[in-house]
Amino acid sequence: MDLIKNIVIVVVGLLVLLALLFWMQGSFTPGRVEPGLLSEKSHATENVVVVTAHYKEMDHTAEAVGSIQSKSTTNIASKILASILTVNVKPGDAVKKGDLLITLDDRDLNSRLEQSRNAVDAAKATLDKATRDRERYESLLKTQSITQNAYDDMVSAERIAKARLDQAQQQVREAEVMRSHAKIFATSNGVIIEKSCDPGDLASPGQSLLTMYDPGNLRVEVAVRERLAGRLKIGDQVRVMIDAISKEMTGTVEEIVPSADQASRSVLMKVGIPRESGIFPGMFGRISIPLEPVKFLVIPAKSVRKVGQLEMVTLKVDKKINTRAVRTGRQWNGDIEVLSGLNEGDEVVVPAAEA
């Protein structure tokens, strides 16, 4: 009896195990479709517009990047050692030639000028006396009341007095020039971009106090790869893009530095651009360098639709409509480059409104 009981238990266990396996395979699920037998959904091709994928020759360009720079940047510096009394401008201010920018303490300079003028007065008095003495000695010489040597001494004294007067007058002119340096004026029209001084600071000769640039003379300075540098020459027109203000314009190659950077293997080029508001030195800029035309496989851009992260197109294949994933590239005038997924001659369905 025990043997029969054990056999029944084993058989029941096997039956339960088999039923479980069939259930996991979906044998008890009605309407199941066998793997690999699902037909691709197709539609009739009547009343659809198709365009053939084809190669199209398009202009090809390379880009070089750089920064906006001013053709003329001026550093305003002091020519004398003096304390700063006032600074009349700040970064961003537009100035005109002749505008007063900085005033320096000129009290020492005024004192030196006054001393030089007093020295001139003294020299004039000395010259007047020397002239009168020479004239008197000249009369005495005619009557032989004095010797020739005494008269010659008076002539020399007059000449010395005249030379000292000239020297004193030159010192006055120098003192006036030095005093004029106490007021620093704009040497040209421009915009202040940097201020490195404040009232109370000590200005030293040659020390930069302000920096200004001419907003009407801007250009893009870009580093162009060696192999592309030969495609441009001075006077060529190139397309310039200023991303910060979403502006595109035409520039002119004005300068090509005849030396390549050994680290980057590039040549510096300077491209002049027209004056535009909102463009400042230091902004990022790009230029397009024309290359040889290249053929690209293209289809209408509107025929590509996004499905999540995928790019999909609808194809007409054997009078049926199928869907295929593609990978696209650049766009030109309504067409888009197909990098993979299509071959030349494939028929792409385009929405009727975009055909």
Side-chain angles (χ1 to χ4, degrees), residues 289-335:
I289 303 172
L291 303 177
E292 297 297 332
V294 178
K295 289 185 177 181
F296 298 99
L297 183 66
V298 298
I299 58 175
K302 294 299 182 178
S303 64
V304 181
R305 64 183 185 278
K306 290 281 188 178
V307 180
Q309 299 296 319
L310 299 178
E311 295 176 304
M312 310 295 293
V313 297
T314 302
L315 298 180
K316 177 184 176 182
V317 181
D318 297 330
K319 297 184 180 182
K320 294 183 179 180
I321 299 301
N322 297 323
T323 300
R324 184 178 299 177
V326 296
R327 188 163 63 91
T328 63
R330 291 160 291 187
Q331 295 191 37
W332 299 269
N333 300 323
D335 289 333

Short mmCIF file of all heavy atoms in Angstrom, two decimals, residues 289-335:
data_model
loop_
_atom_site.label_atom_id
_atom_site.label_comp_id
_atom_site.label_asym_id
_atom_site.label_seq_id
_atom_site.Cartn_x
_atom_site.Cartn_y
_atom_site.Cartn_z
N ILE A 289 34.15 79.15 -42.85
CA ILE A 289 35.15 79.08 -43.91
C ILE A 289 34.60 78.19 -45.01
O ILE A 289 34.33 77.00 -44.78
CB ILE A 289 36.47 78.53 -43.37
CG1 ILE A 289 36.97 79.39 -42.20
CG2 ILE A 289 37.52 78.46 -44.48
CD1 ILE A 289 38.16 78.81 -41.48
N PRO A 290 34.40 78.73 -46.22
CA PRO A 290 33.83 77.90 -47.29
C PRO A 290 34.78 76.78 -47.73
O PRO A 290 35.98 77.01 -47.87
CB PRO A 290 33.60 78.91 -48.42
CG PRO A 290 34.37 80.13 -48.07
CD PRO A 290 34.66 80.10 -46.62
N LEU A 291 34.21 75.60 -47.91
CA LEU A 291 34.96 74.43 -48.39
C LEU A 291 34.38 73.96 -49.72
O LEU A 291 33.44 74.56 -50.25
CB LEU A 291 34.90 73.31 -47.35
CG LEU A 291 35.39 73.65 -45.94
CD1 LEU A 291 35.20 72.45 -45.01
CD2 LEU A 291 36.85 74.07 -45.95
N GLU A 292 34.91 72.88 -50.24
CA GLU A 292 34.39 72.31 -51.48
C GLU A 292 32.98 71.77 -51.26
O GLU A 292 32.70 71.20 -50.20
CB GLU A 292 35.31 71.18 -51.96
CG GLU A 292 36.72 71.62 -52.31
CD GLU A 292 36.75 72.60 -53.46
OE1 GLU A 292 35.83 72.54 -54.31
OE2 GLU A 292 37.68 73.43 -53.52
N PRO A 293 32.08 71.94 -52.24
CA PRO A 293 30.72 71.39 -52.08
C PRO A 293 30.76 69.88 -51.87
O PRO A 293 31.61 69.17 -52.42
CB PRO A 293 30.05 71.76 -53.41
CG PRO A 293 30.83 72.91 -53.94
CD PRO A 293 32.25 72.67 -53.50
N VAL A 294 29.83 69.37 -51.06
CA VAL A 294 29.76 67.94 -50.72
C VAL A 294 28.35 67.44 -51.01
O VAL A 294 27.37 68.16 -50.84
CB VAL A 294 30.12 67.72 -49.24
CG1 VAL A 294 30.00 66.25 -48.86
CG2 VAL A 294 31.53 68.22 -48.96
N LYS A 295 28.26 66.17 -51.46
CA LYS A 295 26.96 65.57 -51.72
C LYS A 295 26.45 64.88 -50.45
O LYS A 295 27.19 64.12 -49.81
CB LYS A 295 27.06 64.55 -52.86
CG LYS A 295 27.27 65.18 -54.22
CD LYS A 295 27.25 64.13 -55.31
CE LYS A 295 27.38 64.78 -56.69
NZ LYS A 295 27.34 63.77 -57.77
N PHE A 296 25.20 65.15 -50.12
CA PHE A 296 24.56 64.56 -48.96
C PHE A 296 23.26 63.89 -49.39
O PHE A 296 22.56 64.38 -50.28
CB PHE A 296 24.24 65.62 -47.91
CG PHE A 296 25.45 66.32 -47.35
CD1 PHE A 296 25.82 67.58 -47.82
CD2 PHE A 296 26.22 65.74 -46.37
CE1 PHE A 296 26.92 68.22 -47.31
CE2 PHE A 296 27.31 66.38 -45.85
CZ PHE A 296 27.68 67.63 -46.33
N LEU A 297 22.92 62.76 -48.74
CA LEU A 297 21.63 62.11 -48.95
C LEU A 297 20.60 62.88 -48.15
O LEU A 297 20.71 63.01 -46.93
CB LEU A 297 21.69 60.65 -48.49
CG LEU A 297 20.42 59.82 -48.74
CD1 LEU A 297 20.17 59.67 -50.23
CD2 LEU A 297 20.53 58.46 -48.07
N VAL A 298 19.58 63.42 -48.82
CA VAL A 298 18.62 64.28 -48.15
C VAL A 298 17.19 63.83 -48.43
O VAL A 298 16.90 63.17 -49.43
CB VAL A 298 18.79 65.75 -48.61
CG1 VAL A 298 20.16 66.27 -48.25
CG2 VAL A 298 18.52 65.90 -50.09
N ILE A 299 16.33 64.22 -47.50
CA ILE A 299 14.89 64.06 -47.64
C ILE A 299 14.25 65.32 -47.06
O ILE A 299 14.93 66.11 -46.37
CB ILE A 299 14.37 62.81 -46.89
CG1 ILE A 299 14.72 62.90 -45.40
CG2 ILE A 299 14.92 61.53 -47.52
CD1 ILE A 299 14.16 61.77 -44.57
N PRO A 300 12.97 65.56 -47.32
CA PRO A 300 12.33 66.72 -46.70
C PRO A 300 12.37 66.64 -45.17
O PRO A 300 12.10 65.58 -44.59
CB PRO A 300 10.89 66.67 -47.23
CG PRO A 300 10.99 65.90 -48.52
CD PRO A 300 12.08 64.89 -48.29
N ALA A 301 12.72 67.74 -44.52
CA ALA A 301 12.85 67.74 -43.07
C ALA A 301 11.53 67.41 -42.39
O ALA A 301 11.51 66.77 -41.33
CB ALA A 301 13.37 69.09 -42.60
N LYS A 302 10.40 67.80 -43.00
CA LYS A 302 9.11 67.58 -42.38
C LYS A 302 8.66 66.12 -42.44
O LYS A 302 7.67 65.74 -41.81
CB LYS A 302 8.06 68.47 -43.05
CG LYS A 302 8.28 69.95 -42.84
CD LYS A 302 8.23 70.31 -41.36
CE LYS A 302 8.40 71.80 -41.14
NZ LYS A 302 8.32 72.16 -39.71
N SER A 303 9.39 65.31 -43.19
CA SER A 303 9.03 63.90 -43.24
C SER A 303 9.59 63.11 -42.05
O SER A 303 9.26 61.94 -41.87
CB SER A 303 9.54 63.27 -44.55
OG SER A 303 10.96 63.30 -44.59
N VAL A 304 10.43 63.75 -41.26
CA VAL A 304 11.02 63.10 -40.09
C VAL A 304 10.22 63.49 -38.86
O VAL A 304 9.93 64.67 -38.64
CB VAL A 304 12.50 63.52 -39.92
CG1 VAL A 304 13.11 62.81 -38.71
CG2 VAL A 304 13.30 63.18 -41.18
N ARG A 305 9.86 62.50 -38.08
CA ARG A 305 9.13 62.78 -36.84
C ARG A 305 9.86 62.14 -35.67
O ARG A 305 10.54 61.12 -35.82
CB ARG A 305 7.69 62.25 -36.93
CG ARG A 305 7.56 60.75 -37.05
CD ARG A 305 6.11 60.32 -37.21
NE ARG A 305 5.96 58.87 -37.21
CZ ARG A 305 6.14 58.09 -38.25
NH1 ARG A 305 6.45 58.64 -39.43
NH2 ARG A 305 5.98 56.78 -38.16
N LYS A 306 9.70 62.78 -34.51
CA LYS A 306 10.35 62.30 -33.29
C LYS A 306 9.41 61.35 -32.56
O LYS A 306 8.24 61.65 -32.33
CB LYS A 306 10.70 63.48 -32.39
CG LYS A 306 11.83 64.36 -32.89
CD LYS A 306 13.17 63.72 -32.61
CE LYS A 306 14.29 64.69 -32.93
NZ LYS A 306 15.62 64.10 -32.61
N VAL A 307 9.96 60.21 -32.17
CA VAL A 307 9.24 59.25 -31.32
C VAL A 307 10.15 58.98 -30.14
O VAL A 307 11.05 58.12 -30.21
CB VAL A 307 8.90 57.96 -32.07
CG1 VAL A 307 8.15 57.00 -31.15
CG2 VAL A 307 8.08 58.25 -33.32
N GLY A 308 9.95 59.74 -29.07
CA GLY A 308 10.88 59.64 -27.94
C GLY A 308 12.24 60.15 -28.37
O GLY A 308 12.39 61.27 -28.84
N GLN A 309 13.25 59.30 -28.22
CA GLN A 309 14.60 59.65 -28.64
C GLN A 309 14.90 59.20 -30.07
O GLN A 309 16.00 59.43 -30.56
CB GLN A 309 15.62 59.00 -27.68
CG GLN A 309 15.50 59.47 -26.24
CD GLN A 309 15.80 60.94 -26.10
OE1 GLN A 309 16.72 61.46 -26.71
NE2 GLN A 309 15.02 61.63 -25.28
N LEU A 310 13.93 58.60 -30.72
CA LEU A 310 14.15 58.07 -32.06
C LEU A 310 13.66 59.06 -33.12
O LEU A 310 12.74 59.85 -32.88
CB LEU A 310 13.42 56.73 -32.23
CG LEU A 310 13.85 55.60 -31.29
CD1 LEU A 310 13.00 54.37 -31.56
CD2 LEU A 310 15.33 55.28 -31.48
N GLU A 311 14.27 58.97 -34.29
CA GLU A 311 13.82 59.72 -35.45
C GLU A 311 13.25 58.72 -36.44
O GLU A 311 13.95 57.77 -36.85
CB GLU A 311 14.99 60.50 -36.08
CG GLU A 311 15.55 61.59 -35.18
CD GLU A 311 16.75 62.27 -35.79
OE1 GLU A 311 17.72 61.55 -36.14
OE2 GLU A 311 16.73 63.50 -35.95
N MET A 312 12.01 58.91 -36.83
CA MET A 312 11.31 57.94 -37.66
C MET A 312 10.85 58.58 -38.95
O MET A 312 10.50 59.77 -38.99
CB MET A 312 10.10 57.37 -36.91
CG MET A 312 10.40 56.89 -35.50
SD MET A 312 11.51 55.47 -35.44
CE MET A 312 10.47 54.21 -36.19
N VAL A 313 10.84 57.77 -40.02
CA VAL A 313 10.26 58.18 -41.29
C VAL A 313 9.31 57.09 -41.76
O VAL A 313 9.44 55.91 -41.37
CB VAL A 313 11.34 58.46 -42.36
CG1 VAL A 313 12.22 59.60 -41.95
CG2 VAL A 313 12.15 57.20 -42.65
N THR A 314 8.36 57.49 -42.60
CA THR A 314 7.42 56.54 -43.18
C THR A 314 7.83 56.29 -44.63
O THR A 314 8.02 57.24 -45.40
CB THR A 314 5.99 57.08 -43.12
OG1 THR A 314 5.66 57.36 -41.76
CG2 THR A 314 5.00 56.07 -43.70
N LEU A 315 7.97 55.00 -44.98
CA LEU A 315 8.41 54.62 -46.32
C LEU A 315 7.29 53.92 -47.09
O LEU A 315 6.41 53.28 -46.50
CB LEU A 315 9.62 53.68 -46.23
CG LEU A 315 10.89 54.21 -45.57
CD1 LEU A 315 11.96 53.13 -45.59
CD2 LEU A 315 11.39 55.45 -46.30
N LYS A 316 7.37 54.07 -48.40
CA LYS A 316 6.49 53.30 -49.28
C LYS A 316 7.33 52.16 -49.86
O LYS A 316 8.29 52.39 -50.60
CB LYS A 316 5.96 54.19 -50.40
CG LYS A 316 5.10 53.44 -51.41
CD LYS A 316 4.68 54.37 -52.55
CE LYS A 316 3.91 53.59 -53.60
NZ LYS A 316 3.53 54.45 -54.76
N VAL A 317 7.00 50.94 -49.46
CA VAL A 317 7.75 49.76 -49.90
C VAL A 317 6.74 48.75 -50.46
O VAL A 317 5.87 48.25 -49.73
CB VAL A 317 8.55 49.14 -48.74
CG1 VAL A 317 9.33 47.93 -49.24
CG2 VAL A 317 9.48 50.17 -48.12
N ASP A 318 6.89 48.45 -51.74
CA ASP A 318 6.01 47.46 -52.40
C ASP A 318 4.53 47.79 -52.17
O ASP A 318 3.72 46.96 -51.75
CB ASP A 318 6.30 46.05 -51.88
CG ASP A 318 7.71 45.60 -52.22
OD1 ASP A 318 8.23 46.06 -53.26
OD2 ASP A 318 8.29 44.84 -51.44
N LYS A 319 4.20 49.05 -52.43
CA LYS A 319 2.82 49.52 -52.34
C LYS A 319 2.26 49.45 -50.92
O LYS A 319 1.05 49.47 -50.72
CB LYS A 319 1.91 48.75 -53.30
CG LYS A 319 2.28 48.96 -54.75
CD LYS A 319 1.29 48.24 -55.66
CE LYS A 319 1.65 48.46 -57.14
NZ LYS A 319 0.68 47.82 -58.04
N LYS A 320 3.15 49.35 -49.94
CA LYS A 320 2.71 49.36 -48.55
C LYS A 320 3.49 50.45 -47.80
O LYS A 320 4.56 50.86 -48.21
CB LYS A 320 2.94 48.00 -47.90
CG LYS A 320 2.09 46.89 -48.47
CD LYS A 320 2.31 45.58 -47.75
CE LYS A 320 1.42 44.49 -48.32
NZ LYS A 320 1.63 43.20 -47.60
N ILE A 321 2.90 50.86 -46.69
CA ILE A 321 3.51 51.90 -45.87
C ILE A 321 4.16 51.26 -44.66
O ILE A 321 3.51 50.55 -43.89
CB ILE A 321 2.45 52.93 -45.41
CG1 ILE A 321 1.82 53.60 -46.63
CG2 ILE A 321 3.08 53.97 -44.50
CD1 ILE A 321 2.78 54.32 -47.52
N ASN A 322 5.47 51.48 -44.50
CA ASN A 322 6.22 50.95 -43.38
C ASN A 322 6.94 52.09 -42.66
O ASN A 322 7.12 53.18 -43.20
CB ASN A 322 7.24 49.90 -43.84
CG ASN A 322 6.56 48.70 -44.46
OD1 ASN A 322 5.50 48.28 -44.00
ND2 ASN A 322 7.16 48.16 -45.51
N THR A 323 7.38 51.82 -41.45
CA THR A 323 8.08 52.80 -40.64
C THR A 323 9.52 52.36 -40.42
O THR A 323 9.78 51.16 -40.21
CB THR A 323 7.38 53.00 -39.28
OG1 THR A 323 6.06 53.46 -39.51
CG2 THR A 323 8.12 54.04 -38.44
N ARG A 324 10.45 53.31 -40.47
CA ARG A 324 11.86 52.98 -40.30
C ARG A 324 12.54 54.07 -39.46
O ARG A 324 12.26 55.26 -39.61
CB ARG A 324 12.55 52.85 -41.64
CG ARG A 324 14.00 52.40 -41.54
CD ARG A 324 14.63 52.25 -42.90
NE ARG A 324 13.96 51.23 -43.71
CZ ARG A 324 14.28 50.95 -44.97
NH1 ARG A 324 15.26 51.65 -45.56
NH2 ARG A 324 13.63 50.03 -45.63
N ALA A 325 13.44 53.64 -38.61
CA ALA A 325 14.23 54.58 -37.80
C ALA A 325 15.44 55.06 -38.62
O ALA A 325 16.06 54.28 -39.34
CB ALA A 325 14.69 53.92 -36.51
N VAL A 326 15.75 56.34 -38.51
CA VAL A 326 16.88 56.92 -39.23
C VAL A 326 17.69 57.77 -38.26
O VAL A 326 17.28 58.07 -37.14
CB VAL A 326 16.41 57.79 -40.42
CG1 VAL A 326 15.69 56.96 -41.45
CG2 VAL A 326 15.54 58.94 -39.93
N ARG A 327 18.85 58.18 -38.73
CA ARG A 327 19.68 59.14 -37.99
C ARG A 327 20.00 60.30 -38.93
O ARG A 327 20.46 60.08 -40.05
CB ARG A 327 20.97 58.48 -37.49
CG ARG A 327 21.79 59.36 -36.55
CD ARG A 327 22.82 58.52 -35.79
NE ARG A 327 23.78 57.91 -36.69
CZ ARG A 327 24.96 58.48 -37.03
NH1 ARG A 327 25.26 59.68 -36.56
NH2 ARG A 327 25.77 57.87 -37.85
N THR A 328 19.71 61.52 -38.48
CA THR A 328 19.83 62.68 -39.36
C THR A 328 20.95 63.61 -38.90
O THR A 328 21.49 63.49 -37.80
CB THR A 328 18.50 63.47 -39.39
OG1 THR A 328 18.22 63.96 -38.08
CG2 THR A 328 17.37 62.58 -39.86
N GLY A 329 21.27 64.55 -39.80
CA GLY A 329 22.32 65.52 -39.52
C GLY A 329 21.84 66.94 -39.70
O GLY A 329 20.83 67.35 -39.15
N ARG A 330 22.55 67.69 -40.55
CA ARG A 330 22.25 69.11 -40.73
C ARG A 330 21.04 69.34 -41.64
O ARG A 330 20.64 68.45 -42.38
CB ARG A 330 23.48 69.80 -41.32
CG ARG A 330 24.64 69.88 -40.35
CD ARG A 330 25.95 70.11 -41.05
NE ARG A 330 26.35 68.93 -41.81
CZ ARG A 330 27.53 68.80 -42.41
NH1 ARG A 330 28.39 69.80 -42.37
NH2 ARG A 330 27.84 67.71 -43.09
N GLN A 331 20.52 70.56 -41.57
CA GLN A 331 19.37 70.95 -42.38
C GLN A 331 19.74 72.11 -43.29
O GLN A 331 20.53 72.97 -42.92
CB GLN A 331 18.19 71.37 -41.50
CG GLN A 331 17.62 70.25 -40.65
CD GLN A 331 16.31 70.64 -40.01
OE1 GLN A 331 15.50 71.34 -40.60
NE2 GLN A 331 16.10 70.17 -38.79
N TRP A 332 19.18 72.12 -44.50
CA TRP A 332 19.35 73.21 -45.46
C TRP A 332 18.02 73.45 -46.15
O TRP A 332 17.48 72.54 -46.79
CB TRP A 332 20.37 72.88 -46.55
CG TRP A 332 21.77 72.62 -46.09
CD1 TRP A 332 22.78 73.51 -45.95
CD2 TRP A 332 22.32 71.34 -45.74
NE1 TRP A 332 23.92 72.87 -45.53
CE2 TRP A 332 23.66 71.54 -45.39
CE3 TRP A 332 21.79 70.06 -45.67
CZ2 TRP A 332 24.51 70.51 -45.00
CZ3 TRP A 332 22.62 69.03 -45.26
CH2 TRP A 332 23.96 69.26 -44.94
N ASN A 333 17.51 74.62 -46.04
CA ASN A 333 16.36 75.07 -46.85
C ASN A 333 15.26 74.03 -46.94
O ASN A 333 14.75 73.70 -48.01
CB ASN A 333 16.84 75.43 -48.26
CG ASN A 333 17.88 76.53 -48.26
OD1 ASN A 333 17.79 77.46 -47.44
ND2 ASN A 333 18.85 76.44 -49.14
N GLY A 334 14.87 73.48 -45.80
CA GLY A 334 13.76 72.53 -45.78
C GLY A 334 14.16 71.08 -45.96
O GLY A 334 13.33 70.19 -45.76
N ASP A 335 15.41 70.81 -46.36
CA ASP A 335 15.90 69.44 -46.49
C ASP A 335 16.74 69.09 -45.27
O ASP A 335 17.31 69.97 -44.61
CB ASP A 335 16.74 69.26 -47.75
CG ASP A 335 15.89 69.30 -49.01
OD1 ASP A 335 14.70 68.96 -48.91
OD2 ASP A 335 16.42 69.69 -50.07
#
